[in-house]
């Protein structure tokens, strides 16, 4: 089955840029969706179709996807961005919907 | 405004059957591409996809769950129902239903989730 690989954790200081990666075989050939999940809450879609930001999501959030890696970039990180972030794709074989294992973003 | 809400039992014994209902509002399930998915999360663990049912009644389920898992929709009640048989303590977790839209492609609206505990 298709596997999405995320780093378990990323740490940045407030005001810096955080990059959260999501690796997968030829992931650049499919669309990647990103979710933010704060403690005790339901996930929130923060990026659809690689780089489409839902209304209400700050412009500080951006996405890219090419080759074997998709990236969620958060500029000017704020304390309120601290959360778990998951990437997700749809796949034709095996699991139809695949989530990465998640990356915990810590704002120092 | 799209809303989803999960309901069902919060405590089950091993071998029992879980039936969860997701009550929907604010969107048409007849729109091409729209779906409702189920995702669970064991305590402290990652999101795990379980199933999705699309507007055209196409249902995809997690292969590893085999025949234990079924998903149906009842549009007369605006509900999607998940049934998971032979519950085990390893099935303990928070179960979410979520709307899959076409504008953004991902799950753009989620229910609050329901914590289901399996214990003897």
């Amino acid at each position: 089955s298709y596997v999405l690989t995320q780093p378990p954790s990323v740490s940045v200081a407030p005001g810096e840029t955080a990059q959260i990666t999501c690796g997968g075989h030829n992931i650049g050939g499919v669309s990647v969706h990103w979710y933010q999940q704060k403690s005790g809450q339901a996930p929130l879609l923060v990026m659809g179709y690689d780089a489409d930001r839902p209304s209400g999501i700050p412009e500080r959030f951006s996405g890219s996807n090419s080759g074997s890696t998709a990236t969620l970039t958060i500029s000017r990180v704020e304390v309120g961005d601290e959360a778990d972030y998951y990437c997700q794709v749809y796949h034709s074989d095996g699991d139809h919907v695949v989530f990465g294992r998640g990356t915990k973003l810590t704002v120092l | 405004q799209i809303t989803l809400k999960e309901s069902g039992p919060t405590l089950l014994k091993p071998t029992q059957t879980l039936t969860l209902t997701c009550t929907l509002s604010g969107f048409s399930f007849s729109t091409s591409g729209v779906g409702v998915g189920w995702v669970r999360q064991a305590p402290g663990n990652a999101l795990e996809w379980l199933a999705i049912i699309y507007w055209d009644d196409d249902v995809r389920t997690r292969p590893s769950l085999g025949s234990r898992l079924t998903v149906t929709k009842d549009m007369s009640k605006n509900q999607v129902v998940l049934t998971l048989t032979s519950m085990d303590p390893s099935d303990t977790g928070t179960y979410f239903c979520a709307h899959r839209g076409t504008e953004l492609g991902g799950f753009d609206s989620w229910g609050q989730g329901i914590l289901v505990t399996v214990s003897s």
Side-chain angles (χ1 to χ4, degrees):
Chain A
S1 62
Y2 196 72
V3 175
L4 296 175
T5 302
Q6 297 184 240
S9 62
V10 168
S11 298
V12 295
E16 292 188 344
T17 296
Q19 289 195 313
I20 300 172
T21 59
C22 177
H25 180 66
N26 287 336
I27 196 173
V30 297
S31 294
V32 179
H33 314 284
W34 290 93
Y35 303 86
Q36 175 193 71
Q37 187 181 31
K38 296 184 178 180
S39 181
Q41 297 184 16
L44 172 71
L45 182 69
V46 294
M47 198 65 59
Y49 289 128
D50 297 337
D52 286 349
R53 200 174 48 252
S55 62
I57 301 301
E59 292 184 9
R60 302 183 294 105
F61 287 76
S62 62
S64 64
N65 184 17
S66 178
S68 60
T69 305
T71 303
L72 177 70
T73 301
I74 310 172
S75 305
R76 302 182 300 283
V77 166
E78 301 175 357
V79 173
D81 298 329
E82 197 163 89
D84 294 324
Y85 290 84
Y86 295 89
C87 58
Q88 177 251 313
V89 302
Y90 297 94
H91 199 253
S92 56
D93 298 323
D95 289 358
H96 175 60
V97 175
V98 181
F99 285 98
R101 299 293 299 172
T103 298
K104 182 176 183 62
L105 175 65
T106 300
V107 182
L108 304 168
Chain B
Q1 179 189 3
I2 295 172
T3 65
L4 305 95
K5 186 172 184 179
E6 306 87 352
S7 59
T10 58
L11 180 61
L12 289 171
K13 296 184 186 305
T15 76
Q16 289 186 321
T17 294
L18 171 68
T19 301
L20 292 177
T21 299
C22 178
T23 301
L24 323 167
S25 67
F27 70 95
S28 170
F29 215 148
S30 60
T31 301
S32 177
V34 167
V36 171
W38 287 94
V39 176
R40 74 180 175 186
Q41 187 171 37
N45 281 17
L47 301 175
E48 179 182 49
W49 170 73
L50 299 179
I52 187 168
I53 183 166
Y54 286 102
W55 87 104
D56 60 356
D57 291 331
D58 183 21
V59 179
R60 309 290 185 95
T61 57
R62 189 177 188 84
S64 61
L65 293 175
S67 60
R68 292 181 58 207
L69 177 61
T70 58
V71 174
T72 59
K73 62 181 172 76
D74 183 343
M75 286 303 93
S76 67
K77 298 180 180 179
N78 282 333
Q79 292 177 338
V80 172
V81 177
L82 174 146
T83 303
L84 186 61
T85 62
S86 303
M87 292 290 282
D88 180 85
S90 62
D91 294 312
T92 292
T94 298
Y95 287 70
F96 298 97
C97 59
H99 170 267
R100 189 263 183 178
T102 55
E103 275 193 33
L104 294 163
F107 295 105
D108 54 20
S109 296
W110 293 68
Q112 64 189 20
I114 182 169
L115 175 59
V116 177
T117 301
V118 184
S119 174
S120 55

